[in-house]
Amino acid sequence: MSRSVCVIVPSVGNPVELGITLDGLLAQSYYGPCEIVVVGPGADPGREQAESRSVRFIDDRGSRTRADACNIALDSTESDVVMFTDDDVIVPSGWVEGLVKWFERSEVAGVGGPNFAPPESSTTQQQIIDVSFCSRIFTAGTNYGRKGEGGLEEVEQLPGVNSAYRRSVLEGVSGFPPGCIGAEDVILDHRIRLAGLRLWSDPEAVMWHRRRDLPKVRKQIRNYGLVRSLAGHEHRELRAWSHFTVAMFPPIVIAAFAFFFWGIYNGGLGSPWWDISLEAVPMGWPRAGVHSLVSLIVLYNLIAWYGAAKGSSPCRTPKTVFLSSITTFVLHWNYGMGVLQGWWRIFTGNSGLQIDDRSRD
């Protein structure tokens, strides 16, 4: 028996890529009833893209967050299964069919799959970012490029760009947390698991997801670090050592550079730092300060290169792997700064509403 499906696509200010996404969804091989809806600001240019393809557009009623927009779409639709993706993806023709089939199994409350940058249509910068996202070491445990070894793998969280749920499950947890952005899928899945239900990942259900360019990724990742710290404050079970470790990255980098220049200054006996030979710095703490920074840089790059080379990104080449260490540094710095910002907001009692990293004005 075929299940009725609703695919919800939140969209803000991205009409061209939205059109490509909708074309992929309209070409699905799934033979059952499948409704596609776009939810966004009423005056958004994506509305024309949807309506020109006879796709239903739902006004998000001035929602300030993706979570609120998705909740409006949930309340405005009916189906057995609800699927979510973004407006910047290239949808494989078998995506809906590939995920819906798993709901024949009663233990499946939700199921998703990995997402990668499409190698053929991505810029070099986007390919490098994808390689960093899919690193086997530095981003281990995240949803970027998580790919198991065949069959379903039980997971704690599904990627918002590639996920499907039973509608009854979403209604049972009251949908997405209102006013939440960046970690709305994290908290949703946490609520589902608290209800004793199980989430799964299908390694074959790949979604081709365009990566943002580096300036936008910096903002996205910093925002994500912020909301993860706020989510961990509200739900202590979401706290993880990895988030604390990345939060320490900016202070460690600053301390390493400060130690380096302290060693140069104290080892140079007042000479300008650019005239000092590193080997001329005397033994002791000054020499340790000079060599510790160099050693940390070399070690960090080696780990980054190894993780990228062993990762799952289809964009891996010698060039993208080599340059990925720079992107990885930028991602760690901005995620860490976001977490620290979140901690400060918690400390000052001003956690507040986190606004989307895309403008919804």
Side-chain angles (χ1 to χ4, degrees):
M1 180 184 68
S2 61
R3 300 175 184 274
S4 60
V5 176
C6 175
V7 181
I8 295 176
V9 186
S11 183
V12 179
N14 193 28
V16 175
E17 291 186 327
L18 172 63
I20 297 172
T21 297
L22 294 179
D23 288 340
L25 289 172
L26 291 169
Q28 289 297 294
S29 61
Y30 185 63
Y31 57 85
C34 180
E35 180 185 22
I36 303 165
V37 300
V38 176
V39 57
D44 192 87
R47 182 172 202 144
E48 181 179 350
Q49 292 284 349
E51 294 178 345
S52 67
R53 293 168 171 80
S54 298
V55 170
R56 182 183 176 191
F57 183 90
I58 298 176
D59 190 328
D60 67 8
R61 307 172 199 166
S63 297
R64 300 182 71 190
T65 72
R66 184 180 189 272
D68 294 336
C70 286
N71 282 338
I72 290 173
L74 283 171
D75 292 339
S76 305
T77 56
E78 295 181 358
S79 62
D80 299 322
V81 174
V82 182
M83 304 181 70
F84 295 95
T85 191
D86 288 346
D87 61 3
D88 55 356
V89 299
I90 300 174
V91 189
S93 61
W95 178 63
V96 171
E97 182 179 6
L99 287 183
V100 171
K101 69 181 181 182
W102 295 113
F103 290 101
E104 297 298 326
R105 296 170 54 166
S106 60
E107 70 271 23
V108 176
V111 62
N115 63 96
F116 303 108
E120 298 81 9
S121 57
S122 297
T123 65
T124 300
Q125 184 179 145
Q126 291 167 341
Q127 291 180 12
I128 294 169
I129 291 169
D130 192 68
V131 170
S132 296
F133 277 169
C134 298
S135 169
R136 184 175 180 178
I137 297 176
F138 279 142
T139 54
T142 68
N143 286 322
Y144 296 114
R146 181 171 188 153
K147 197 166 184 178
E149 299 296 332
L152 286 186
E153 174 189 2
E154 187 168 5
V155 294
E156 296 182 356
Q157 179 193 343
L158 303 179
V161 70
N162 186 2
S163 57
Y165 302 87
R166 298 183 192 273
R167 181 177 290 271
S168 58
V169 168
L170 295 176
E171 292 175 345
V173 298
S174 301
F176 289 93
C180 183
I181 181 65
E184 77 279 353
D185 50 353
V186 176
I187 300 178
L188 171 69
D189 291 343
H190 177 63
R191 288 176 170 181
I192 291 173
R193 294 178 64 250
L194 282 179
L197 302 173
R198 302 168 73 184
L199 303 173
W200 304 82
S201 178
D202 177 1
E204 302 301 324
V206 173
M207 177 62 76
W208 298 110
H209 188 196
R210 296 183 185 85
R211 306 304 183 195
R212 305 181 191 183
D213 290 333
L214 193 57
K216 293 182 179 179
V217 166
R218 288 174 54 198
K219 181 178 179 181
Q220 176 189 19
I221 293 300
R222 185 166 183 151
N223 185 72
Y224 194 73
L226 167 61
V227 296
R228 276 306 302 243
S229 62
L230 299 180
H233 177 67
E234 182 178 353
H235 303 278
R236 292 181 177 271
E237 301 90 340
L238 293 176
R239 295 180 180 180
W241 65 267
S242 57
H243 300 292
F244 176 82
T245 301
V246 180
M248 293 298 100
F249 186 76
I252 289 173
V253 170
I254 294 172
F257 273 94
F259 194 24
F260 172 82
F261 286 110
W262 176 88
I264 288 289
Y265 177 80
N266 286 276
L269 302 177
S271 300
W273 67 268
W274 55 85
D275 286 339
I276 299 173
S277 169
L278 299 186
E279 295 304 323
V281 176
M283 297 297 292
W285 286 112
R287 177 70 71 90
V290 169
H291 286 280
S292 61
L293 177 62
V294 177
S295 300
L296 287 173
I297 291 174
V298 171
L299 178 62
Y300 182 88
N301 278 274
L302 290 175
I303 296 174
W305 289 330
Y306 177 81
K310 293 294 184 179
S312 54
S313 172
C315 299
R316 285 173 296 162
T317 65
K319 178 181 178 180
T320 58
V321 169
F322 178 76
L323 294 175
S324 67
S325 64
I326 301 173
T327 303
T328 303
F329 178 89
V330 172
L331 297 179
H332 279 159
W333 176 272
N334 283 277
Y335 189 95
M337 291 300 291
V339 174
L340 293 173
Q341 182 182 356
W343 287 354
W344 177 251
R345 285 174 60 168
I346 292 168
F347 177 75
T348 57
N350 183 33
S351 58
L353 172 69
Q354 177 55 35
I355 304 303
D356 198 338
D357 56 3
R358 292 192 193 182
S359 174
R360 306 186 76 91
D361 296 333

